[in-house]
Amino acid sequence: MDGMGKGARSFEIARQDRGGANEHQRRKGMQITECDDRREQELAEKLGKISGKEDYQLFLCNSGAEANENALKMASFHNGRKKIVAFNKSFHGRTSLAVAATDNKNYIAPVNETDNVIFLPLNDEAALEDCFAKNGKQISSVIIEGIQGVGGINVADVSFLKKIRSLCDEHGAVYIADSVQCGYGRTGKFFSHDFAGVNADIYTMAKGMGNGFPVAGIIIAPHIKPKHFQLGTTFGGNHLACAAALAVLEVLEEEKLIGNATLVGKYLRDELEAIPELKNVRGRGLMIGFDVPEELKDLKKNLLWNQKIFTGEAKPNVIRLLPSLALKKRDAEQFIESIKEEIALLQETAS
Ligand code: PLP
């Protein structure tokens, strides 16, 4: 299983030539956003169709952190408020506001510290209601990953996302769906937040968007109207980035990779759940995590060195799987065989 690392690739790099990304790079070199409205428009249209958010407005940038930074700022411009609600174990990036909304003290420099972010337990509806009851008119936005990635593959409950939607509506706050890791088809829907059947006000995207090429963006619901100069960028939406992003959408569509994520993801989940040593198998589609008991703590390392399979992790004991969306069932079968083999070897050594 190649490309399981940080989820930045939705499928193998060999396909990048499709849609002409590399061809454009050779022929035209780099161009900035303003020079290439046509490609950006083409991307916006295709993205709108595939994601089902055709009436949203697209702003392109270069990384997930930048996307979240712009989403949080846009929300604050929109309602003139300062407070952000984020959740325990969240990861939203390493730049100023994005990192302030990230629940990991190791990433937050003193200069990033702020009283404007309120952290709540994930999936705790009572805590969320209480927070809105106390701070309702100060809350600018709620930012949430549909499935926490860095935090250890923790799925936001459907009822929790619905509660966020209704509380944001009631109090004039903006619902921001961080889809940097869990978006772009990985979970079997274009945005994992879609499982809740409600729309967010802003979706942020990066990682799989360029299949490894740095391109990111936010889409903004039509009732939010960015004013000139509120969002800006030098490189965002450059010609090459748009070509790469378009190529990715074409492959997603032509090769039905979102459906594949559902099918192969289900197979992987079922098989992993049947391995008694692995606990709390969770996730959606091809975004899967499970807990590894202390006696198998070398499993990740051994998968890498003995089987040449690179898996992700979340400290202290979670293995994270973010494979190619084009993963074939036979590759998934091989992965399951390999993991069983390594578990047996570790148990043999221990006895
Ligand atoms: N949001 C989420 C959910 C992420 O997983 C990440 C990166 O891992 C980011 C934001 C930040 O993205 P980037 O590293 O492109 O800035």
Side-chain angles (χ1 to χ4, degrees):
M1 276 197 195
D2 184 31
M4 273 190 163
K6 294 191 172 174
R9 292 213 183 127
S10 291
F11 42 82
E12 294 77 5
I13 204 80
R15 295 202 176 107
Q16 246 192 5
D17 229 348
R18 297 181 60 145
N22 291 351
E23 181 57 21
H24 282 293
Q25 186 175 13
R26 279 194 295 274
R27 277 202 334 248
K28 295 207 157 190
M30 287 204 192
Q31 297 184 13
I32 59 168
T33 317
E34 288 78 7
C35 299
D36 197 22
D37 288 347
R38 187 185 53 82
R39 273 222 155 232
E40 216 174 331
Q41 190 55 40
E42 212 182 318
L43 174 60
E45 276 167 24
K46 198 154 186 73
L47 186 58
K49 269 206 192 90
I50 293 184
S51 67
K53 319 279 181 216
E54 282 177 273
D55 52 350
Y56 280 55
Q57 308 149 83
L58 174 67
F59 169 71
L60 290 167
C61 52
N62 311 283
S63 70
E66 204 187 331
N68 285 329
E69 202 74 35
N70 279 290
L72 293 163
K73 265 182 79 176
M74 191 64 247
S76 179
F77 276 131
H78 172 68
N79 54 25
R81 302 178 187 171
K82 291 185 181 168
K83 298 266 184 226
I84 295 164
V85 174
F87 297 96
N88 296 350
K89 294 198 171 180
S90 60
F91 183 87
H92 297 296
R94 292 169 190 273
T95 56
S96 59
L97 257 184
V99 85
T102 289
D103 181 28
N104 188 330
K105 298 246 174 313
N106 295 332
Y107 303 148
I108 302 176
V111 74
N112 302 125
E113 285 167 9
T114 167
D115 294 335
N116 283 332
V117 182
I118 304 167
F119 287 100
L120 298 177
L122 183 70
N123 293 332
D124 186 336
E125 293 183 29
L128 188 66
E129 273 172 356
D130 187 51
C131 177
F132 268 96
K134 289 188 178 126
N135 309 286
K137 290 295 165 228
Q138 294 175 62
I139 296 173
S140 172
S141 58
V142 178
I143 183 164
I144 183 165
E145 297 157 82
I147 301 177
Q148 290 183 336
V150 176
I153 313 291
N154 307 310
V155 181
D157 292 344
V158 159
S159 63
F160 193 64
L161 296 176
K162 285 188 165 147
K163 177 63 73 180
I164 291 175
R165 177 69 279 163
S166 65
L167 287 169
C168 283
D169 285 343
E170 198 183 318
H171 295 270
V174 174
Y175 169 9
I176 301 173
D178 181 341
S179 304
V180 167
Q181 191 163 149
C182 61
Y184 248 77
R186 172 156 297 285
T187 62
K189 286 197 187 284
F190 193 84
F191 294 118
S192 72
H193 299 78
D194 289 343
F195 282 97
V198 290
N199 280 328
D201 298 308
I202 303 180
Y203 295 82
T204 64
M205 304 159 282
K207 291 202 187 282
M209 190 172 184
N211 201 35
F213 187 86
V215 51
I218 67 178
I219 56 169
I220 306 165
H223 70 275
I224 299 177
K225 309 226 179 291
K227 292 203 180 77
H228 209 44
F229 301 122
Q230 288 180 341
L231 299 169
T233 167
T234 298
F235 296 123
N238 69 73
H239 184 89
L240 185 52
C242 288
L246 269 166
V248 165
L249 291 178
E250 272 162 31
V251 175
L252 276 185
E253 202 170 40
E254 281 169 26
E255 301 192 15
K256 303 186 172 45
L257 294 187
I258 302 182
N260 188 64
T262 303
L263 286 178
V264 183
K266 180 171 177 349
Y267 168 80
L268 269 177
R269 276 277 305 265
D270 290 348
E271 292 295 315
L272 288 166
E273 273 165 14
I275 301 176
E277 289 82 1
L278 305 180
K279 306 292 178 211
N280 193 14
V281 179
R282 56 199 185 264
R284 292 188 197 277
L286 288 173
M287 183 164 185
I288 299 174
F290 49 86
D291 298 343
V292 177
E294 177 60 22
E295 59 275 19
L296 297 180
K297 66 176 174 355
D298 287 337
L299 183 60
K300 180 181 153 54
K301 192 179 73 183
N302 291 3
L303 279 169
L304 180 61
W305 295 115
N306 302 341
Q307 307 281 346
K308 310 289 176 273
I309 294 174
F310 178 60
T311 55
E313 68 181 334
K315 302 271 186 231
N317 66 336
V318 179
I319 286 189
R320 252 195 309 162
L321 305 179
L322 294 153
S324 158
L325 299 193
L327 188 75
K328 297 210 166 41
K329 177 139 178 277
R330 65 169 179 275
D331 298 323
E333 283 165 358
Q334 195 198 328
F335 173 70
I336 295 296
E337 284 316 306
S338 303
I339 206 165
K340 285 182 180 164
E341 203 180 302
E342 290 308 320
I343 290 173
L345 272 172
L346 281 166
Q347 286 172 331
E348 230 176 83
T349 324
S351 62

